Amino acid sequence: MSKFIKRLFLKQDPAFYQDKDSHLKPSLTTKDLLGLGLGMVIGTALFTLPGIVAADHTGPAVPLAFILGAIGAGMASFAYAETASVLPFAGSAFTWINVLFGEFFGWLAGWALLAEYFISIAFVASGWSAYVQGFIGSFGFKLPISISTGFNPKTGGFIDLFAAFAVLIVGFVLSKGISQVSRIENFLVVIKLTVVILFIVVGLTSIHAQNYVPFIPAHKVGTSFGGFPGILAGAAQIFLAYVGFDAISANTAEAKDPEKTMPRGIIGTLLIGTIFFVVVSLILVGMFKYNLYEGNAEPAAWALRKSGHFVTANLLSIVAIVGMFAALIGIHLASSRLVYAFGRDGLLPVFLGKVNQKHLPNNALVIVTIAALIVASVFPFTFLANLVSAGTLIAFIMVSLGIYALRPREGKDLPLPKFRMPFYPILPCVSAAFSTMIFWGLNIDAKLLMLGWFVIGMLIYFVYGIKHSKLSKKTTK
C-alpha cells in the first residue's frame, strides 16, 4: 500500500515539460494574452448572465455578486500569476499541480478544468445561439423549437443547430494557427469594448431609480434568492465570468517571455473585466425591474429594444454575435492545450500529445471540437450556466494551495519568479477558503455532477492513465 501511495505523490520533473513543450511555438505577447482573457471575460457572461442572476438570486444587487466573485478570483489570480511565472508550461493547473503535489493530484486538477472547459465552450456557444435567434427574431423570423434549443422533452427541444455551427467554425479557425487567431481575437475584443461602452452610454439615459429599491431584497427562506445567500449563489453562478485568466494560463508555453507577460495578462484581464461587469450589471437592473430578466439569455439587447433603442440594440446583438466568437476562441484554445497536455504525459492516448508540422496540437483540437459540439448542441443554456463554475473553483483552490509547495522550491530546483503572490503565507489560505465558500454556493446539480465527473476521472486514471503515464515509464527504467 505504501508503494501505491508513494506512486500517487510522484512528481514530474519540470525539465520533462520544458523539453516536450519546446515543440510549441512562442508567439503570444501581453497584448495577445489580454485579448484572449478579455475575449473570454467580456463575452457571453457579460452579455447573458447579469439579468438571469438578478432574477434568480440577487435582485438589483447583482453587481455585489460580481464584486464577490472578483475578490475570490483576484486572490486566485495572484497565485496563477506566480505559478505561471515559475512553471511556464502548457496545461495550466494540471501541469503545475503535477510538479508540486504529484501526478494523481495534477490529474484531478486537470480533469476538473476539462469539465469547466467543455461546459464553457457549450455555454458560450449556447449564449451565441440565443443572441442570433434574438436578432433574427426581431425581424419576425423564428426557427422551430426542435432545432433551436437544447434537448428538452417539455418544450420539444432536440438540438441547437446554431450552437453546433459556432463550435465547428471556431475549431476550423484554430486549426489554422495561433498567431492568426490572436490577431482575430484582438480585433474582436476592440469591437466588443466599443459597443459595451455604447451600451453604457445609452443605458444611462434609460435608468429608473425605483428599480434599485430594495437594492438587496430580503432572503426568501428555503431558496437561493435574496440577502447574502442570494448574493453568494449569484457569485457562484457568475464565477464562470472569471475563467478568462485561467484560459490564458493554459497557453503559457506559447507566450513570449512568460515570466513577465503571464502576470500582466492574468491580472490585467481581471481588473478590466471586473470594472465592465459591475458597470454593465448596475445599468441593466436600473433599466428594468430585475424579475423581467428571468430566463433571458440576451438581457442587454432586450433591455435596449424595450427602451426604444432599436438600432443600438441590434448593433449590440450583431457585435455580441461576432464578439462571442472571441470567447469561444479563448476557451476552445485552452481546452485543446489541456487535452494536448494529457496526451503529452501519457494519461490519455499519446496521439493527443502530438503536434503537426506547423507545431499545432490539432489532434487534441479535433477531439475537443467533437466533444464540445455534442455538449453545446444538446444541453440548454440555463442548465450549462449552473454547472460551468464548479471546475474553475476547484482549480482555483488547488492552485492557491499550490503556492505553499511552490515557494520553498523557488531559487532551488525551480527559478525565482518575476511576480510573487503578496501577503504570503496568509493570502494563499484565504484565497482557497474564499473559493471553497463560493463553491458551496453552487446548486446541488453542479455539485453532484462534479462528483460524478471526478468518479469517471479516477476510473480513467487508475484503469488507463497510471499504466501509460510517462512518469510511470520513467520510474520503471
Side-chain angles (χ1 to χ4, degrees):
M1 179 60 74
S2 60
K3 185 178 180 181
F4 176 74
I5 296 297
K6 286 181 181 178
R7 174 63 186 84
L8 297 183
F9 282 89
L10 196 60
K11 301 177 181 68
Q12 183 58 271
D13 185 350
F16 169 81
Y17 293 127
Q18 194 166 9
D19 175 61
K20 291 292 183 181
D21 289 350
S22 63
H23 302 297
L24 297 173
K25 183 180 178 182
S27 60
L28 299 174
T29 63
T30 298
K31 181 180 71 173
D32 297 326
L33 293 172
L34 280 171
L36 286 171
L38 292 174
M40 268 298 300
V41 167
I42 303 178
T44 306
L46 180 63
F47 289 131
T48 60
L49 280 185
I52 292 174
V53 170
D56 292 348
H57 302 298
T58 66
V62 63
L64 298 183
F66 277 110
I67 291 171
L68 188 65
I71 293 171
M75 290 187 288
S77 74
F78 292 138
Y80 267 75
E82 178 172 347
T83 312
S85 180
V86 177
L87 301 171
F89 311 123
S92 182
F94 160 65
T95 300
W96 301 340
I97 301 301
N98 204 337
V99 171
L100 298 174
F101 291 134
E103 182 183 80
F104 174 68
F105 301 96
W107 168 259
L108 290 181
W111 191 246
L113 282 177
L114 191 60
E116 168 208 317
Y117 289 161
F118 277 157
I119 296 170
S120 293
I121 293 172
F123 170 76
V124 175
S126 184
W128 181 84
S129 175
Y131 262 83
V132 170
Q133 293 180 59
F135 176 69
I136 63 177
S138 70
F139 297 100
F141 181 77
K142 287 191 175 183
L143 287 177
I145 290 177
S146 60
I147 59 171
S148 60
T149 65
F151 182 73
N152 189 337
K154 293 181 180 178
T155 63
F158 181 70
I159 192 171
D160 190 337
L161 286 183
F162 279 126
F165 175 75
V167 173
L168 280 175
I169 290 296
V170 170
F172 174 76
V173 169
L174 286 174
S175 70
K176 299 303 177 181
I178 195 168
S179 58
Q180 291 87 342
V181 166
S182 64
R183 285 194 291 269
I184 296 172
E185 186 87 343
N186 293 340
F187 175 71
L188 293 178
V189 167
V190 170
I191 292 177
K192 280 200 295 185
L193 288 176
T194 302
V195 174
V196 169
I197 292 170
L198 178 62
F199 168 79
I200 292 170
V201 172
V202 174
L204 282 171
T205 67
S206 302
I207 286 177
H208 304 281
Q210 65 268 27
N211 290 330
Y212 293 119
V213 182
F215 189 68
I216 304 177
H219 175 56
K220 292 182 180 178
V221 180
T223 74
S224 60
F225 179 85
F228 181 74
I231 293 171
L232 180 60
Q237 187 169 350
I238 58 89
F239 210 78
L240 66 96
Y242 298 106
V243 72
F245 69 76
D246 181 273
I248 290 175
S249 65
N251 302 296
T252 306
E254 292 164 277
K256 293 180 178 178
D257 194 11
E259 296 84 359
K260 291 182 179 178
T261 56
M262 291 307 297
R264 292 170 184 171
I266 288 170
I267 296 171
T269 292
L270 180 69
L271 288 174
I272 298 170
T274 299
I275 292 170
F276 278 104
F277 283 138
V278 171
V279 174
V280 168
S281 60
L282 195 61
I283 290 173
L284 204 59
V285 292
M287 292 175 73
F288 290 95
K289 196 69 176 176
Y290 64 84
N291 58 348
L292 295 178
Y293 293 112
E294 184 174 2
N296 191 336
E298 51 142 14
W302 178 87
L304 288 171
R305 288 192 201 103
K306 293 289 283 186
S307 300
H309 302 288
F310 188 82
V311 174
T312 307
N314 281 342
L315 178 61
L316 186 142
S317 290
I318 292 169
V319 170
I321 289 166
V322 175
M324 281 185 192
F325 272 95
L328 268 178
I329 286 169
I331 203 67
H332 208 124
L333 182 64
S335 57
S336 65
R337 272 45 182 178
L338 177 59
V339 171
Y340 153 82
F342 286 155
R344 173 199 64 192
D345 287 30
L347 298 175
L348 288 181
V350 70
F351 81 93
L352 295 171
K354 301 292 185 183
V355 296
N356 63 15
Q357 63 273 19
K358 295 182 179 179
H359 306 287
L360 299 171
N362 279 1
N363 291 342
L365 178 64
V366 169
I367 297 299
V368 166
T369 302
I370 293 171
L373 186 150
I374 295 170
V375 176
S377 60
V378 172
F379 290 101
F381 176 83
T382 50
F383 176 78
L384 293 166
N386 285 318
L387 300 182
V388 73
S389 298
T392 307
L393 287 161
I394 290 171
F396 283 6
I397 293 165
M398 296 185 79
V399 174
S400 296
L401 294 176
I403 295 295
Y404 293 116
L406 179 71
R407 194 64 67 90
R409 295 174 61 178
E410 291 173 355
K412 296 177 182 176
D413 66 322
L414 295 175
L416 286 169
K418 294 184 179 178
F419 175 88
R420 277 190 160 185
M421 187 176 192
F423 306 114
Y424 178 87
I426 305 293
L427 196 58
C429 180
V430 174
S431 175
F434 205 93
S435 291
T436 301
M437 180 186 72
I438 296 177
F439 181 87
W440 194 252
L442 291 169
N443 66 24
I444 189 65
D445 290 340
K447 294 171 187 171
L448 289 176
L449 283 168
M450 195 43 123
L451 178 62
W453 180 255
F454 270 125
V455 170
I456 294 171
M458 285 190 282
L459 284 173
I460 292 174
Y461 179 77
F462 289 118
V463 171
Y464 181 89
I466 199 169
K467 296 177 182 177
H468 296 85
S469 164
K470 299 288 179 67
L471 192 56
S472 286
K473 292 177 180 178
K474 186 169 66 174
T475 56
T476 55
K477 286 182 179 180

